[in-house]
Amino acid sequence: FQGNFSSAGNLSACSVLVTSGNVVFNVGHTLTVQTNVRVVAGSLTFENQSSLYQVQDVANGVGVYSGGNTGNITYRRVTTPVFRFDYTYWSSPVFPQNLLAVSPLSPISLFFEYNSGIDNWQYINPTPTTMIPGKGYIFRAPNNFPPGLPDTTPPQPYTATFNNGVPNNGTITLPVSGGASQLNLLGNPYPSALDADAFLLD
């Protein structure tokens, strides 16, 4: 890509190199790439319900680089309508994504992770925290959202923008604590949908 591009449907490629322009994959569209994605200049954006699907593992997870993806992408996800006091679970499709940057107007004291060791929620300071691929986080809606009753303003969808990292790819593992009755909070670490049935079956 050497200039502006806005998708009109799905697109397949051997590899992707963005050298200039604003490249956007619109709602519901999928970019299927056999190997790596490199953003040298310009931007590569995936709107809500669009996906980046990489067929081959290029293994550039946390602390690992093997000639895989380079350069940041922007990846947007939109919640169902929420009020100010509602919480949403999140997981990052890019690394290294700062936790507070996902929702900078959420109360800084209301970001949590699930601590399986104590079997309960635990506060996590979002300001210095880099989201771990595969790990789930929960935090409240932004402070400027409608509060709900008695206020009659309807709930609003929140758009989370992940733009502080390289798209995750390859095999990503995360320790899981306990047996069948132990709770853990996991999330999809990839910038594409997962097959829920296949995940549960595995």
Side-chain angles (χ1 to χ4, degrees):
F1 295 95
Q2 295 180 308
N4 294 336
F5 173 83
S6 180
S7 68
N10 298 334
L11 189 68
S12 296
C14 292
S15 62
V16 169
L17 172 64
V18 180
T19 59
S20 65
N22 298 315
V23 179
V24 178
F25 281 83
N26 293 305
V27 174
H29 297 167
T30 297
L31 171 60
T32 300
V33 184
Q34 293 296 318
T35 57
N36 59 13
V37 174
R38 294 176 292 156
V39 181
V40 177
S43 63
L44 176 57
T45 299
F46 294 86
E47 298 293 354
N48 188 49
Q49 297 181 349
S50 65
S51 290
L52 167 62
Y53 169 55
Q54 292 179 263
V55 178
Q56 298 179 26
D57 288 354
V58 295
N60 60 306
V62 181
V64 177
Y65 178 70
S66 63
N69 298 333
T70 57
N72 292 354
I73 67 167
T74 296
Y75 190 77
R76 295 193 176 100
R77 283 297 177 262
V78 181
T79 68
T80 56
V82 293
F83 288 114
R84 182 185 309 166
F85 301 104
D86 291 333
Y87 285 79
T88 303
Y89 298 112
W90 296 100
S91 184
S92 180
V94 302
F95 184 85
Q97 173 68 49
N98 176 264
L99 182 56
L100 182 60
V102 180
S103 187
L105 295 181
S106 291
I108 200 167
S109 62
L110 296 176
F111 286 73
F112 300 95
E113 59 185 350
Y114 196 82
N115 185 334
S116 298
I118 61 173
D119 201 20
N120 207 340
W121 298 106
Q122 178 174 292
Y123 169 71
I124 183 168
N125 184 349
T127 303
T129 297
T130 298
M131 299 177 75
I132 298 172
K135 182 174 181 174
Y137 302 84
I138 183 172
F139 48 84
R140 215 181 73 178
N143 274 330
N144 60 348
F145 269 46
L149 295 175
D151 187 317
T152 57
T153 305
Q156 301 175 11
Y158 177 68
T159 300
T161 299
F162 299 87
N163 59 1
N164 295 151
V166 176
N168 294 325
N169 185 255
T171 300
I172 294 173
T173 60
L174 197 71
V176 174
S177 300
S181 61
Q182 174 65 57
L183 297 178
N184 289 264
L185 184 58
L186 307 176
N188 179 3
Y190 304 110
S192 60
L194 287 178
D195 185 318
D197 292 333
F199 176 79
L200 293 173
L201 188 62
D202 286 344

